[in-house]
Amino acid sequence: MSVRWRLVCFKESLTMKTLLTAMAALTICVTSSLSVQAEDVPIRILLVTGGCCHDYDFQAKAMQKALKDQGIAAEWKVVNEGGKGTEAEIPLYEDPEWAYGYDVVIHNECFANTTDPAYIRKITGPHKAGVNAVVIHCAMHTYRATDIDDWREFLGVTSKHHEHQSEYPVKAVAKDHPIMEGFPADYKSAKDELYIIEKVWPNTEVLATSISEKTGKLNPVFWTNRYGKARVFGTTYGHSVATFEDPVFLTTLTRGIKWAAENKPK
């Protein structure tokens, strides 16, 4: 091989190496850029709240602040309809696309005596199709007077009553779940009600439990559920202002919101 030919080959080799290096660097830059953009995209949250027995305005503001304090970007729409009673069919659900465009819907409403199956299925239908959800406290007693189980299956638990307010010890039973990472072993709830769980549905994973002071029986207080294509995170705590001031509760709730919202349609 002549000297000239070897030089040509050497130059081509350098050119190819330079090109491959540049392509690799570009790939890293694009991947990093996309990763940063993905992290910066706010979670789109619909909070449905209202009904009996709780300070829903305070709770809504506490949740919004908790996500902000933990560096989680979010775009919120808060719907508070139906008054302060135990029975209502709110206008939101009359729109067939009421859940369209949201990464997660937080149900923090309290309408125990609403019973119409067609109305309830307007809510559960979009969730079964893939709209993720977080369910808090009295959502477990919402629609409890109805004969159908659609809402209860969506929640992941069935509860019809609660016990007195107390500071209940909470034991993590799924310590490796990302929602429960670092959960304090000695944690006690703020003064709150203990909901008695009559049934845990098949797709539910219990994350933490509390013991009834009356019966000594364990009751799930944090859990996840798979309802159709949707992720659901739930907690029975959330009655008192003190609960929504409790940093452990707010951290767990925030992680649950983030975990649910990360489930994207395929």
Side-chain angles (χ1 to χ4, degrees):
M1 181 183 291
S2 68
V3 173
R4 181 179 179 184
W5 179 250
R6 286 199 297 269
L7 286 172
V8 169
C9 290
F10 179 67
K11 288 179 179 179
E12 288 180 351
S13 176
L14 284 177
T15 302
M16 183 58 68
K17 288 180 180 178
T18 302
L19 179 60
L20 291 173
T21 301
M23 290 176 65
L26 180 61
T27 301
I28 292 170
C29 288
V30 171
T31 303
S32 299
S33 176
L34 289 174
S35 176
V36 169
Q37 289 176 11
E39 291 176 359
D40 288 343
V41 173
I43 300 173
R44 296 164 297 177
I45 301 173
L46 171 62
L47 170 57
V48 185
T49 191
C52 172
C53 311
H54 307 99
D55 188 343
Y56 293 110
D57 289 337
F58 177 84
Q59 292 179 0
K61 291 173 182 175
M63 284 187 272
Q64 291 169 328
K65 184 177 184 299
L67 263 69
K68 185 177 180 181
D69 288 349
Q70 295 186 38
I72 300 173
E75 293 178 354
W76 292 79
K77 179 177 180 181
V78 179
V79 175
N80 187 335
E81 297 177 334
K84 296 182 178 181
T86 62
E87 183 176 358
E89 295 185 10
I90 67 174
L92 171 71
Y93 297 132
E94 296 303 317
D95 181 357
E97 296 187 348
W98 67 267
Y100 178 79
Y102 296 102
D103 297 310
V104 62
V105 176
I106 301 175
H107 288 282
N108 192 30
E109 65 252 67
C110 192
F111 299 112
N113 294 318
T114 301
T115 61
D116 180 41
Y119 171 79
I120 294 168
R121 286 170 177 153
K122 289 177 182 178
I123 308 167
T124 58
H127 287 300
K128 199 163 193 176
V131 176
N132 304 307
V134 169
V135 292
I136 301 173
H137 191 59
C138 200
M140 267 46 74
H141 289 175
T142 293
Y143 316 132
R144 70 182 173 188
T146 191
D147 293 330
I148 64 169
D149 276 334
D150 299 53
W151 179 257
R152 297 162 197 142
E153 182 182 1
F154 157 65
L155 297 173
V157 299
T158 298
S159 176
K160 299 284 183 71
H161 72 285
H162 64 75
E163 292 185 355
H164 59 279
Q165 294 187 44
S166 187
E167 295 177 351
Y168 291 96
V170 179
K171 181 180 179 181
V173 295
K175 297 178 182 178
D176 294 334
H177 195 285
I179 294 174
M180 303 306 294
E181 183 179 352
F183 192 86
D186 58 349
Y187 173 68
K188 290 185 178 181
S189 73
K191 194 170 184 180
D192 209 319
E193 298 167 338
L194 181 67
Y195 276 37
I196 303 305
I197 304 301
E198 299 175 4
K199 177 177 179 176
V200 175
W201 287 78
N203 292 330
T204 295
E205 178 184 5
V206 176
L207 302 181
T209 58
S210 290
I211 296 176
S212 165
E213 293 179 346
K214 291 184 176 181
T215 67
K217 293 182 179 180
L218 290 171
N219 289 271
V221 293
F222 294 113
W223 67 90
T224 64
N225 183 32
R226 170 63 71 169
Y227 183 66
K229 297 180 180 179
R231 279 182 175 182
V232 181
F233 167 73
T235 178
T236 52
Y237 288 132
H239 176 78
S240 65
V241 167
T243 295
F244 279 88
E245 293 175 332
D246 179 352
V248 174
F249 173 81
L250 289 172
T251 296
T252 308
L253 178 59
T254 298
R255 288 180 177 178
I257 294 169
K258 185 174 182 291
W259 173 85
E262 288 172 347
N263 181 49
K264 302 298 183 184
K266 296 180 180 179

